Amino acid sequence: MGQVAALSLSRLSARCWQRLLWPGPARIPGGLAARSLSSMATSIRFSPAARSLFDEPLGIAVQGLGPRQQVTLRASLRDEAGELFEAHGRYQAADDGELDLARCPALPGGSFSGLEPMGLLWALQPRKPFWRLVKKDVQTPFRLQLEVLEGHGDPPGQLLAQAEHERLFLRDGVRRVPVREGRIRATLFLPPGNGPFPGIIDLYGTGGGLPEYRACLLANYGFAVLALAFYGYEDLPKEMKEFHLEYFEEAINYMLKHTQVKGPGVGLLGFSKGGDLCLSMASFLKGITATAVINGSVANVGAVLRYKDITIPPLGADAKRIKINKSGIADIVDVLNNPLEGPNRRSFIPLEKAECRFLFIVGQDDHNWKSEFFAVEGSKHLQAHGKEKPEIVCYPGAGHYIEPPFFPMCAASMHLLVGKPVMWGGEPKAHSEAQRDAWQQIQAFFHRHLNGKPSGTTNKL
Ligand SMILES: CC(C)(COP(=O)(O)OP(=O)(O)OC[C@H]1O[C@@H](n2cnc3c(N)ncnc32)[C@H](O)[C@@H]1OP(=O)(O)O)[C@@H](O)C(=O)NCCC(=O)NCCSC(=O)CCCC(=O)O
């Protein structure tokens, strides 16, 4: 259909085109990707024009509208599972018929309102419930479709202009290197050139697989980043039953032996369950200079942790503390026991053994668990043992899934440990602002500690 539509492009009125194409945006054949379907004069201008990195701001403007004309801008993209994500904004053009989202506020009644140049991206929401935007193949872009529709009606008025823009994950020259060395199942992303580059190991949380998208976006900023799988992937354990730090030790040694990774130590970046794994790595393993945790726990959770003759049990939990929110979705924020109390203290990770700097990124509306409590108690624990106070950056209104910038907030999705959808917390606008700032904080933290003179760290390898 897209092909037919493209061939008869010149003869189709905007209304026919809309009937032909809707519901759901058509894939414009590549040749038309950067051009837009336009009625007489209306056109869309992206800046950069045809493609940009997913974590970069995108300029969006519409030209050729009537003075103060009311229009609806509708953004959409399909993920690799074919699921549709959509957002729309209601606008009024300026007196000269121009509409620049950097200067023109969205009016009430859309997916967002106010001056939000990137609102059409961060407000994207899936039609499929409990679905999250993830990028599985970072070598291909997301294709963002943008339509300009007449008026603010629902259903919308006639299609005035349409265009496509590619949102990439790999900057030109960044290399993607699958790593199957020893037991390691990972992907290494290397910036252009020979380096050596400051090295980071990137861990996601419960869910298995090998999410590469945060690692490759970070590599675009000059880091050698190893996205590391640790279960539920290829020949790794299928379930989250127990983890052996020796596996993660192999990954650290792989990085520090790599000719394009700068020593004396690597950085660790862990989200959620990946966060407490990073804290355990930092506490027991050598060669770690800086550890950043996004909404992680300072207690070992979800699986037994072993290293040599050491065993750390998972923090206890009580399913009776699962609440059901007003939308009927499980809220697990209170399920875990307090790692400061009684036998639960055996799960508290001995952070005092670490010889690295720490950064805790906290979503203050995290409903997976009490991330702020964990960060504060981790800080107290470190200071009580005479260690440097960690950096803690808290974001009001941000939920659990703090992703790279412009990933739409996932309010609820399947929690593979709980076995049902859970609410993750967060308010979309605040969560989006948190993602942008946290991304800068994380990069600055690693540049400061991996590129500068390592203060207080020793090359123990
Ligand atoms: C990125 C993916 C989804 C890809 O994994 P995969 O194995 O290639 O995916 P799969 O086999 O197709 O699916 C397996 C399952 O992952 C879920 N899933 C998959 N894609 C999506 C999506 N877009 N939105 C929402 N859910 C998705 C679905 O439930 C899939 O199961 P299904 O195929 O539906 O039976 C996965 O790697 C992942 O989710 N990784 C980790 C994400 C993460 O860090 N989650 C944090 C969860 S909370 C936490 O870690 C704390 C745990 C400890 C505690 O709370 O106590």
Side-chain angles (χ1 to χ4, degrees), residues 130-132 136 204-206 208 211 271-273 368-369 401 415:
F130 308 127
W131 202 247
R132 194 169 103 246
K136 288 192 179 181
Y204 264 90
T206 301
F271 163 62
S272 198
K273 172 61 195 171
N368 183 67
W369 49 33
Y401 265 100
H415 188 306

Side-chain angles (χ1 to χ4, degrees), residues 55-74:
D55 65 331
E56 284 178 329
L58 174 63
I60 299 175
V62 181
Q63 294 161 324
L65 294 169
R68 307 177 66 72
Q69 183 176 357
Q70 294 195 335
V71 291
T72 297
L73 269 57
R74 183 161 60 192

Side-chain angles (χ1 to χ4, degrees), residues 79 81 85 128-136 203-211 213 232-233 240 271-274 276 295 301-302 332 336 368-369 400-401 403 410 412-418 424:
D79 70 8
F85 288 75
K128 178 179 182 177
F130 308 127
W131 202 247
R132 194 169 103 246
L133 186 65
V134 296
K135 193 71 177 73
K136 288 192 179 181
L203 291 178
Y204 264 90
T206 301
L210 177 50
Y213 54 92
Y233 185 73
M240 241 177 68
F271 163 62
S272 198
K273 172 61 195 171
D276 67 79
N295 284 334
V301 295
I332 63 171
L336 288 177
N368 183 67
W369 49 33
H400 188 59
Y401 265 100
E403 291 273 41
C410 178
S413 67
M414 177 62 74
H415 188 306
L416 297 179
L417 264 190
V418 178
W424 300 114

Side-chain angles (χ1 to χ4, degrees), residues 311-391:
T311 297
I312 302 186
L315 183 61
D318 182 349
K320 291 197 292 295
R321 292 196 291 259
I322 295 178
K323 298 173 287 191
I324 303 298
N325 72 10
K326 54 185 182 301
S327 311
I329 300 169
D331 181 348
I332 63 171
V333 71
D334 296 321
V335 164
L336 288 177
N337 296 346
N338 184 334
L340 306 180
E341 291 173 356
N344 301 305
R345 286 177 301 176
R346 293 176 54 223
S347 301
F348 201 104
I349 297 166
L351 297 176
E352 72 279 3
K353 297 175 181 293
E355 291 194 354
C356 68
R357 310 301 289 275
F358 288 102
L359 167 65
F360 289 90
I361 296 289
V362 172
Q364 289 182 303
D365 191 40
D366 184 350
H367 274 255
N368 183 67
W369 49 33
K370 299 184 172 84
S371 290
E372 185 168 10
F373 167 74
F374 287 143
V376 169
E377 291 308 320
S379 177
K380 286 181 191 172
H381 185 93
L382 285 164
Q383 294 177 75
H385 288 83
K387 294 288 188 175
E388 288 258 352
K389 188 177 181 185
E391 296 175 50

